[in-house]
Structures are given as structure tokens and as C-alpha cells.
Amino acid sequence: MDIVFHGKPGSGKGTQSDNICEKLGVVAVSTGDLIRAEIKGNTEMGQQIKAYSEAGKLVPDELVMDILAQRLEQEDVAGGVLFDGFPRTANQAKMLEAWLGERGRKVDAVFALEITDAESMFRCTYRLGCSDKVNCGKDTHIYYHRPTVIARSEADETPIFACRKCGKKLVMRNDALPLKVQTRIDTYHEETDPLVELLGTEFGYPVFKIDGMPGIQEIEDAINVVIEENLR
């Protein structure tokens, strides 16, 4: 089974993807993570991506699909994938449809977590990341997770929080600045909102819009109902 999963910044895709993967027996794949790994590994495709970025150009859909296809050929995803934030364009959707179709597969459902812009801003700007990005990388929200204070800044007594997964200190994420968050929200409205509609109307995929405003458990319960009623 293959699932497309979209949501505004801070909507909780990372949290809910674990539940969906467990329920459906699929593996989450993020093109963002794949691209970062290519750049970090200084691979040929990573060098191409870096060149486009440094020139201020968008990475071509074909290159993104090549990177994704490389991951999809691996054995652990043969039973199904949760595509985290992909496709982002109609052209990417067509490429994914063709790739899956050649292998007798298709997108079985599209999940879209819906939250307000204000909630998106609140969740993103109050979200910290683990300082150990290699071994952990877990995000923690100051309000929702109430992390433990392990120290205070010598300069101004600002609290330093512990990661809820590994216990190491939390740091501010590079994308947590309000201006950057607003740009991501605007991009979601301009690109992803119309695409989600298109995936239903033009591609004929079942689209399930989930209210992402309640608590984590309530959202998980709502997703589980959709899975039990439509994907079993």
C-alpha cells in the first residue's frame, strides 16, 4: 500500500506518520531527508542539487524523482511507502504515478492534516530540535511536551531544555524563525493546497482531510478510523 501524506508546517506529520506506518505496515520516506543525505554524502546527484541551490534555481522534478526512485528500489519499501510531503507538484505526481504503475502499484490514499495558519506558526516557532542530529534529531515542543530544564544560560538565565528522547540539550531549529515559518506557510497555500485537491479530482486518489487541531491522541484516533473504514 502506498500513501501520500501532506500537512502544513507543524501539523504533526512526523508524529502521526509513525502511527500510519505501524497500522499499514509501510515505511515512511521523506524526499527532504533523501536530498539532504545526497548533499551530505557529496554524491553526484547531491552536487547537482547543491549547484541548483547555490544558483538560486529550483531543483528539477526529474532529479528529485531520480533520488526518490533510488530509495524506492530498496527491499525494505517493497511492501509500501508513506510519502512524506511528496509529491509537491502535479508533474511530480505524474512521475510517481508512472513509476508505481510500472510496478503494478498505485497511490491508495492521500492524507492531509489541516491546521490554521496561527497554529502552524505557534507550533513551529516554539519547537526545538535535539542538538545530536546524527543519533537522535527528535523535535520537542516547549508547550505541548513540557521538556525538562537541565541548565540555565549564564548570560541571562534562559532555560536550556533536555531532549525528550535522548536527554541531550535542545537547540533552536534553523527553520523556526517567524519569517521563515511564514514563507513555508505561504508556499503550502500556493502549492500544496491546490495539489491535494488535484490528487483527488484529476488523479482520482481517495483524499482524507484530517483535523490536526486537537491533541495527538485525538488526531491518531481519527486517522485510525479512516484506515479501518477505508484501507483495510
Side-chain angles (χ1 to χ4, degrees), residues 43-206:
T43 65
E44 182 178 344
M45 286 192 285
Q47 292 173 8
Q48 292 180 48
I49 293 169
K50 191 174 181 180
Y52 279 110
S53 298
E54 290 177 348
K57 298 179 180 179
L58 292 174
V59 179
D61 289 339
E62 291 77 10
L63 181 54
V64 176
M65 190 63 214
D66 284 345
I67 292 171
L68 176 61
Q70 184 175 260
R71 174 69 178 95
L72 297 180
E73 294 290 357
Q74 296 176 11
E75 188 175 343
D76 67 317
V77 296
V81 172
L82 177 73
F83 294 97
D84 182 353
F86 185 89
R88 292 183 181 276
T89 67
N91 189 40
Q92 288 179 356
K94 291 176 182 177
M95 291 179 180
L96 180 61
E97 181 182 48
W99 192 97
L100 292 173
E102 290 171 359
R103 291 155 181 81
R105 294 162 60 178
K106 61 181 177 63
V107 171
D108 295 284
V110 177
F111 283 93
L113 281 178
E114 299 192 318
I115 61 174
T116 64
D117 289 358
E119 182 69 9
S120 178
M121 180 65 72
F122 173 71
R123 292 184 185 182
C124 289
T125 52
Y126 282 82
R127 186 168 59 183
L128 301 175
C130 180
S131 56
D132 187 352
K133 297 179 181 179
V134 175
N135 299 305
C136 182
K138 188 75 172 177
D139 285 340
T140 297
H141 196 277
I142 296 176
Y143 178 79
Y144 291 117
H145 297 125
R146 306 298 172 101
T148 302
V149 176
I150 56 174
R152 289 187 177 274
S153 166
E154 294 182 1
D156 57 9
E157 292 294 307
T158 300
I160 298 172
F161 298 104
C163 174
R164 59 196 171 104
K165 181 180 179 181
C166 72
K168 294 182 180 178
K169 74 174 183 178
L170 296 171
V171 295
M172 186 174 185
R173 289 170 42 132
N174 290 331
D175 59 359
L177 295 172
L179 283 176
K180 289 188 176 182
V181 175
Q182 189 60 55
T183 297
R184 294 169 63 205
I185 292 172
D186 293 343
T187 299
Y188 190 89
H189 283 308
E190 293 167 5
E191 298 179 1
T192 309
D193 271 340
L195 176 65
V196 169
E197 298 302 322
L198 198 67
L199 292 175
T201 57
E202 185 171 313
F203 290 83
Y205 302 147

